[in-house]
Structures are given as structure tokens and as C-alpha cells.
Amino acid sequence: MLAIYAFTIFFSAVLLFLVQPMIAKLVLPLLGGTPAVWTTCMLFFQTLLLGGYLYAHVLDRRLAPRTQMAVHVLVALGVAALLPVGLPAFATRAGVLGGFSSEIELSLWLLGVLAVAVGGPFFVVSTTGPLLQRWFSRTGHAHASDPYFLYAASNAGSLLGLGAYPLLVEPNVGVRSQNLGWSIGYGVFAVLLIACGAVAAGAIGKPGRAGGDPKRPPPSPSPATGVRGERTARPSARRVGRWLLLAAAPSSLMLGVTQEVTTDVAAFPLLWIVPLGLYLVSFIIAFSPRIRFSVGMLGLVCALLGCTVVTADILTVRNPLWGVIGLHFLTFFACSTLCHRMLADDRPSTEYLTLFYLAMAGGGAVGGAFNGIVAPLIFDDVYEYAAALVAVLALRPATKKRPEPEEARPSRSSPLLRRSILPLTMLAIMVGVGLFLEKPEWQARAGLEKVYALEPWLRTVLPLAIAGWTIARPLQFAACFAVFAASGFFVQQASYSTELYRERSFFGVIRVNEQLGGARRTIQHGTTMHGVQLLHDETARLRPTSYYHPTGPVGQFFMTLGESELQKRVAVVGLGAGSIAMYSRPGDEYVFYEIDKAVIDVATGTGLEQPYFTFLYDAPGEVEVRLADGRLGLAADPDGHYGVIILDAFSSDAIPVHLLTKDAFELYFRKLVPDGLVLVHVSSRHFELAPVVTRIASEIGCVALLNMEAQPAPQLAAEGKQQSKWMVVGRPGGPIETFVHPESLWMPVEPGSRAPLWTDDWSNVLGVLNLK
């Protein structure tokens, strides 16, 4: 009996957490591959999980056991008609072509796609945990009075599903086969569900069974009271609210740390899955009766780790990369374990089991809604990560007993005022430090012209000392921590460059910064530079910079083309600051495809008092910017229309996978004239993309050349030039042959025997991950 319940719960969890990255992988190409897509996907799955838990709670409270089992089995069989899972007909790149008027509209569209694609099956499978645990509590089994241990089976299955996808499923199985396999798994789950229902229904009404009275389930030990055999009172609204908060904080923190890490590294499934895996492990540890630890001590560890994370962020510590990522993940794991253990310690008797899980699911949905909907509306940067850390630190238990009122020292001030003194003092100090760092004349008067030598101390040590003074008092510490994080960010921005513009869109945060007294402007997405313009004189203003410098691979590409007619019509996927437009000639037509409206606004100056970059206005040729996914936009253009297609679409240092598949390159060459060329930007800190392009070129009968530029000389670096790596792909015997000569830096490359072939049905990002 126990084995079939445990296995059914385990197997349902495997299905739940296999389908999430599987469906996200289908959706990502439609929207360009961005961390925000995962946030919206998580919001959908958490909300649907809430709906499943609410359904289980209503079923348990309103229907007799045998009736609810029959109803649920019928619902599960009815949903099978929606299989196999997969994207609906309207969820194509054509659905994104016209763009969306707002981020909310785009999010709602994505939620609709997910609902049709997998909503019904996911809903049914999501009810399994609480519903089967409740059914098990009626069986009269020796462990039926406290079935919460089955939650470990659920989380173990979830963990297996998450790990199996990137390591086993994605590298070996195409997307269509994945959909079919999951649908078969649902059929197996339905059979197991019927078996569990039959076991529970057979136990009801038998002498000595706990489920003898269907209207009044047997009393069970309550973790809150520890009294066996008493019917427990309904949990208060305050207690339920605390359950919700303890579930919401780690849920929001999981999405926040995912956004933080994937913005700095790349948007690919493994890094998204790691925080979710840690989230599940924290549940296993927290609800395990065999693993014991001090909640108060873990709270102190969370406080120290939180301060370390904020200090590293303020000091812009980025290396070693995996060490920084590990710090973020460790902090998240400790905070999640803390909140989940506090939940486990406060779990109710089985009479209110479904209510407990409903509150937990509600908290998860609240955390997802905050990150996916509320935060983009109220924040212009990714502040929700720090906000979730503040919430966890406020919820942690105090580490020492507070004095009773009669023992407390008499004071005429209110408790709120006393608790606010240290946070307000810290705020005043941090604002003062920020102003001091912005005022050279103040530094001169104080004799601290070299104040930047003391800057790390001013920005971290003093605030940490004040925060440490309150570490035993969670609310005061959380308030000081919030001031430390917020004020520290202000000082960081004030210390290095002047931020002219910032906008948060569905695709991330776009910033325009100014350095060197206004002589240099940059556009950044996350931590990746996407364009630089020098403004100190007209010659510098008209010169393409960064990855597009005239002496770099892009300049060499256009110089080799010379007066070729291929330059008459050029399509560029990815806009940035618009630097490539400076290679156009009078009469040439350049079309830029950009999926992020915020980038278009910055590059064109739309809605701004004045444009921050002038490349598009200074370009000699005719320039058009279209709001669309690059592959989708090109698909709508006539065949044989362009001479050159340039792929320069980044999402914080990761080209979206759907632009680098065999199917995509076949589309590109249909849109090119017979001798047309594709120029691909393959610079990446974390991926080796050259083998992917080389293998695709070989498969479609083309030649690939690689130009790996070394670190630029100091003089060229002063002109804004940056190291870059580009590839050009063309048909043999055509203009690409002119790139190969003794003095050329374009080198032929041959596909290795193990080079991956990416298609729309199969890709494996882990296979090209560079961990150096």
C-alpha cells in the first residue's frame, strides 16, 4: 500500500518537473531567449499548482471520500483527451511579429499559450501530492496519522525530473519525441492514480480503519500541540497567513536569484534548473524528520550570507565567475531551507493537510506574481532579489529571548521609534557617503583627494557594523539590511559613471551610461556591452566602435566586399546602438530587426528629449528599424532579397538558440541572393559557438570562415575597440572565396567529428558550454 502511494506521488512529480523545462524550451524561441520568459513560465506553473491545490482542498472538504476519488479519476481521464502536449497552432513566430503594446500584454499572451499547451494535464498531475496524502491518511496504515513524510517522495521525484531533462532528455531526445513521451507518462500516471483510489476506497468503512467515518477523519498528532487523539482547532487566519509568507519569500527569492545569475551568465536551461533544484532539496531537508538543525543558527547564517552577497554586488565582484554564482546559490539555498523548515515545524494535523498545502501553493503563486508582474511595473531594475532577501531575514526567528515588558528598561519613546533609530542612522550615513563621493570639492577640503582608496571601507564596513549590531533582532536587522542594499546600489552607480537612462522591459534592463565627462556613451543589457559611441569630435562620433571597429572583423568584412552589390541590401538581426549602420553607403538599404522595444527607443531616441546615439542618423544609407524577432521578420521578407544577413542578436551574452539551427540557416540562404553571405557574431564568454556554425555550414553545403581578433592595442582600445570573434558563411565558389588569401585574417574551419548539429527539434547548449 505505502509503496504504490509513494511511487505514484514520486512519478507525478517527475512528470511535473519534466514538462516545465520542456515547454519553456518550446516557448523561448518565440520570444528571443530571455530570463523573463522563465519568470513568466514559473508564474504560470505556480498559479496552476495553486489551482490544483485549491481543487484538492475543495474536493476533500465538500465530497465524501469515495465520491471525490471517483470524480478525480474521471477528471484525469477526461484531460487525457487534450494530449499530446505541445504548442497550440496560434503560438507561432507569426504571433509575435506585430509586437506588443506593453510588457503585460506580452506576458498575458505567453500565459495563454502555456494554458492551451499544457494547462489541463499539468493541473491534474499537480493535485497528486496533497490529494493522495489525504487519501493515504484514511487507509489505516501505521503511518497514516502523519503522511507528511510522503512530501519527500514528491520532492525527490521533482528533483529527478529536473536533473533528467538537461542531462538525459534534452541531449538525446528531440522536442517532438519529448512531447509524445510525456503524454505516455501521463497515461501511466492515470493507471497508478486509479490504483491508489481503489486502495483507499477499499479501506473506508472497514473495522479498525482510520477511514471508517468518511465525514470525520481520525484525529492525528498535531505538530503544533503534540497531543495525540484530540481533534485540533482550525488554524487561525494569522497562522495561515504566516504559512503563505514563509512560502512566498523563497519562491520570490528563487526567481530573483535566477534573474540575477542568468543575466550575468546566459539564458539556458541548466542555470534555470539549478535554483529550482536547490529549492526542492530545501523542501526535502526541511520536511525530513531525520535531519535536525537549529533554525536560529541557520537564520544567523542566512543573515551573514545575505550581507556577503550585497557586499560583493556593491564592490562589483565578478571573478571567479562560478564562485560568485555559487555564493548566490548558497545564500538562496540557506534562506529557502530556513523558511521551509519553519513551515514544516508548524504543519497542522491531517484534518487540515489540504489547507496547509493550499497556503504553501498560494505563497508560491504570490512570490511568482510579485516577480513576474508587480516588480516590472514598480521597479526599473532587478530589485526583487534584494527585496526577497529582506523578507526572509525579517521572517527568521530571533536568536535570543526578548525581555518581558516589566523587565525592560523604561522609555518614553515608542517601540517603533526605538526600532527605527539604527536603520535611519544607517540611511543618513549611506546618503552622506554617496554625496561625499560625488563632490570632489568636499573631498579636497577633507584632504581626501584619493578617496577612492577608502571607498570600499566607506561603502561596506560601516554599514555592516551597524547591521551586525542588530543581527539578533530580525526586524531591525532586516530594515538595516534593506537600507544597506538600496543605499549601496546608489553609491555604486554614483562612483563609476553617470547613468543617463534606464528602462526595464520584458527582455531585461537596458542602461545608457556616460563616461569621460560626456565623451563616451555605452548601452548595456545586463552586464554585457552592446554598443559604444565616442562623442569628443566628429571623426570619433562617425566611427563604429566596440565589436564593429573598422580594423576588426566587421570592418575587414566590408572592406573585402569593396564595391560589391551585396551591400545594396543588408539585414541585421540585433540593433544595439546601431553601429553597423555606419558601414552603409549612399543608396544602400539596411534593415535592423530588434525584438526589444526599449533598445529601439535608446538607439533611435524615440520618446526621448534627444537621442543618446547618432549612428542611425549619421548613416550614409537608408536605415529602417523593425520591431520583430529576427528570424520571424526575415521569414516575412521576399526570397532572394538581401545580399548580406548579419546575426548580432544577444541576450546578455547568449545568442538565442533558434537563430543558430540548421532550419534557421536554410531560411537565411533563401532570403539571400545566390551569392549572398551570412555574417555571425560568435563572441561569448561562456559558449563555443563556432563549432555549431561550422557544422551547420557543412550540412547545408556552405563554407565557413572564422576571424578571431586578438586583444586590441592600447591606442585602438582608446578608440572604443573591443575584442571579438566573427564567422562568415557562404556558398563555395562565390564571393566568400575572396576572403581567403595569404594576408587575410579569415581562416577556413572544418567541422569536427563531434561538432553538434542544432535543429529546431534538437539542440544541446550544455555541449558547447565553456567552463574555463
Side-chain angles (χ1 to χ4, degrees):
M1 179 191 298
L2 177 59
I4 191 171
Y5 271 88
F7 182 75
T8 303
I9 292 174
F10 172 85
F11 188 71
S12 68
V14 172
L15 290 179
L16 280 179
F17 284 87
L18 276 177
V19 77
Q20 294 184 49
M22 184 178 77
I23 293 298
K25 182 179 175 68
L26 289 174
V27 171
L28 280 172
L30 301 179
L31 300 172
T34 162
V37 175
W38 182 249
T39 300
T40 303
C41 288
M42 287 303 303
L43 170 62
F44 169 79
F45 289 124
Q46 287 174 332
T47 304
L48 206 58
L49 184 69
L50 173 62
Y53 281 23
L54 177 61
Y55 162 85
H57 179 64
V58 172
L59 212 62
D60 179 60
R61 307 306 293 182
R62 299 296 182 185
L63 299 179
R66 285 196 178 99
T67 304
Q68 64 180 257
M69 294 168 191
V71 168
H72 187 58
V73 168
L74 289 174
V75 170
L77 294 176
V79 165
L82 302 176
L83 298 174
V85 298
L87 295 182
F90 69 87
T92 63
R93 294 188 181 94
V96 191
L97 179 59
F100 295 89
S101 59
S102 68
E103 182 174 321
I104 295 299
E105 184 180 339
L106 183 57
S107 298
L108 293 175
W109 180 86
L110 178 54
L111 290 173
V113 168
L114 294 170
V116 176
V118 73
F122 186 92
F123 174 81
V124 171
V125 178
S126 70
T127 65
T128 305
L131 203 54
L132 262 63
Q133 287 184 50
R134 188 69 178 107
W135 291 0
F136 180 76
S137 72
R138 300 178 187 276
T139 62
H141 190 276
H143 297 290
S145 61
D146 188 12
Y148 288 97
F149 70 93
L150 288 171
Y151 200 42
S154 174
N155 287 287
S158 302
L159 196 60
L160 177 63
L162 283 174
Y165 188 82
L167 299 178
L168 298 175
V169 177
E170 187 183 33
N172 300 300
V173 183
V175 176
R176 296 180 183 88
S177 298
Q178 292 176 26
N179 296 343
L180 179 60
W182 194 92
S183 302
I184 294 173
Y186 181 87
V188 175
F189 158 76
V191 173
L192 292 170
L193 180 67
I194 293 172
C196 289
V199 170
I204 295 173
K206 289 186 177 181
R209 293 292 184 178
D213 181 359
K215 294 298 183 180
R216 183 180 177 87
S220 57
S222 169
T225 64
V227 179
R228 178 181 293 274
E230 295 184 2
R231 187 176 180 84
T232 57
R234 180 181 177 85
S236 65
R238 182 173 182 177
R239 186 179 176 191
V240 174
R242 181 171 174 79
W243 292 343
L244 191 143
L245 289 175
L246 286 171
S251 170
S252 175
L253 189 59
M254 177 185 65
L255 297 175
V257 75
T258 301
Q259 183 88 352
E260 177 81 11
V261 170
T262 54
T263 297
D264 283 354
V265 182
F268 71 98
L270 178 63
L271 279 185
W272 297 349
I273 289 173
V274 168
L276 191 51
L278 293 175
Y279 181 76
L280 295 171
V281 172
S282 71
F283 269 119
I284 295 174
I285 293 174
F287 280 82
S288 173
R290 299 181 180 180
I291 302 177
R292 299 183 180 182
F293 53 86
S294 168
V295 174
M297 186 60 65
L298 182 58
L300 285 177
V301 171
C302 291
L304 294 175
L305 287 172
C307 289
T308 305
V309 163
V310 173
T311 300
D313 191 57
I314 290 175
L315 299 181
T316 61
V317 177
R318 292 289 180 264
N319 290 304
L321 176 66
W322 292 104
V324 175
I325 292 175
L327 173 63
H328 285 288
F329 285 166
L330 178 62
T331 303
F332 160 68
F333 179 64
C335 290
S336 293
T337 304
L338 172 67
C339 291
H340 293 154
R341 173 49 70 92
M342 293 172 70
L343 271 171
D345 289 344
D346 195 31
R347 66 190 187 276
S349 67
T350 57
E351 185 178 355
Y352 299 104
L353 179 148
T354 55
L355 176 63
F356 177 69
Y357 283 119
L358 177 62
M360 288 177 58
V366 168
F370 175 74
N371 286 60
I373 296 178
V374 178
L377 294 177
I378 64 175
F379 297 147
D380 61 358
D381 208 332
V382 186
Y383 297 123
E384 54 267 34
Y385 179 38
L389 278 175
V390 171
V392 171
L393 297 178
L395 288 168
R396 70 186 177 92
T399 55
K400 65 180 181 180
K401 187 177 180 180
R402 295 181 181 179
E404 298 297 328
E406 59 270 20
E407 299 174 353
R409 188 174 300 175
S411 175
R412 296 181 181 179
S413 61
S414 68
L416 179 61
L417 179 61
R418 292 198 306 272
R419 293 171 183 172
S420 303
I421 290 176
L422 282 177
L424 291 174
T425 301
M426 177 182 279
L427 178 62
I429 291 174
M430 293 302 292
V431 170
V433 168
L435 292 173
F436 184 75
L437 291 172
E438 281 192 316
K439 301 290 185 179
E441 61 273 18
W442 292 6
Q443 300 165 22
R445 291 177 186 174
L448 294 174
E449 289 83 355
K450 298 182 179 180
V451 69
Y452 284 99
L454 301 174
E455 187 177 348
W457 297 89
L458 292 173
R459 289 160 57 185
T460 58
V461 175
L462 186 58
L464 285 175
I466 297 176
W469 197 349
T470 65
I471 197 169
R473 298 183 291 277
L475 291 178
Q476 278 187 287
F477 179 83
C480 289
F481 181 85
V483 173
F484 176 38
S487 303
F489 181 82
F490 163 75
V491 175
Q492 177 188 0
Q493 294 299 318
S495 300
Y496 294 102
S497 62
T498 302
E499 186 176 279
L500 301 179
Y501 180 82
R502 182 196 307 167
E503 183 175 349
R504 180 173 180 173
S505 72
F506 189 86
F507 298 94
V509 179
I510 298 296
R511 292 185 179 88
V512 177
N513 294 322
E514 188 174 74
Q515 299 94 17
L516 304 176
R520 172 188 169 102
R521 285 181 185 166
T522 62
I523 177 174
Q524 285 186 272
H525 178 276
T527 60
T528 302
M529 186 85 66
H530 289 308
V532 179
Q533 186 169 27
L534 303 180
L535 303 172
H536 56 273
D537 59 48
E538 184 175 1
T539 301
R541 179 171 59 83
L542 299 178
R543 182 192 305 120
T545 56
S546 64
Y547 317 114
Y548 320 103
H549 195 274
T551 64
V554 175
Q556 295 166 27
F557 173 82
F558 282 103
M559 181 177 65
T560 303
L561 287 182
E563 299 300 319
S564 170
E565 289 296 308
L566 294 179
Q567 296 190 61
K568 293 293 293 182
R569 291 192 181 94
V570 176
V572 185
V573 178
L575 177 60
S579 307
I580 292 178
M582 295 307 300
Y583 287 101
S584 64
R585 305 167 303 184
D588 291 347
E589 299 177 8
Y590 275 49
V591 176
F592 286 86
Y593 288 102
E594 174 58 54
I595 198 171
D596 192 348
K597 186 176 182 299
V599 175
I600 295 177
D601 291 343
V602 168
T604 62
T606 304
L608 307 175
E609 294 183 1
Q610 60 179 12
Y612 293 115
F613 300 94
T614 65
F615 290 127
L616 298 180
Y617 295 95
D618 294 330
E622 299 179 11
V623 177
E624 180 184 358
V625 178
R626 299 177 183 174
L627 177 63
D629 172 85
R631 182 171 166 180
L632 172 61
L634 288 170
D637 288 329
D639 291 349
H641 185 68
Y642 296 107
V644 175
I645 293 177
I646 302 175
L647 302 181
D648 188 30
F650 281 78
S651 179
S652 270
D653 205 35
I655 293 180
V657 170
H658 72 291
L659 297 180
L660 280 180
T661 66
K662 177 175 176 284
D663 310 75
F665 271 77
E666 288 173 342
L667 168 70
Y668 303 150
F669 277 93
R670 286 199 305 271
K671 304 303 171 180
L672 289 170
V673 297
D675 292 333
L677 300 172
V678 177
L679 181 65
V680 191
H681 193 178
V682 294
S683 302
S684 178
R685 292 172 292 181
H686 310 299
F687 298 99
E688 291 292 345
L689 299 175
V692 177
V693 177
T694 304
R695 175 66 186 278
I696 292 173
S698 175
E699 289 291 325
I700 63 176
C702 290
V703 177
L705 306 177
L706 175 66
N707 190 327
M708 297 179 59
E709 186 181 33
Q711 195 69 28
Q715 181 180 355
L716 294 176
E719 295 180 358
K721 183 180 180 181
Q722 292 181 311
Q723 184 179 10
S724 62
K725 186 193 313 185
W726 293 77
M727 298 187 73
V728 58
V729 180
R731 295 184 176 91
I736 197 169
E737 302 294 341
T738 62
F739 287 79
V740 182
H741 54 82
E743 298 180 359
S744 174
L745 297 178
W746 294 95
M747 305 298 295
V749 286
E750 296 294 333
S753 59
R754 301 182 63 182
L757 177 62
W758 286 5
T759 66
D760 286 351
D761 188 61
W762 183 90
S763 61
N764 179 21
V765 183
L766 294 182
V768 296
L769 181 63
N770 181 9
L771 297 177
K772 296 180 181 180

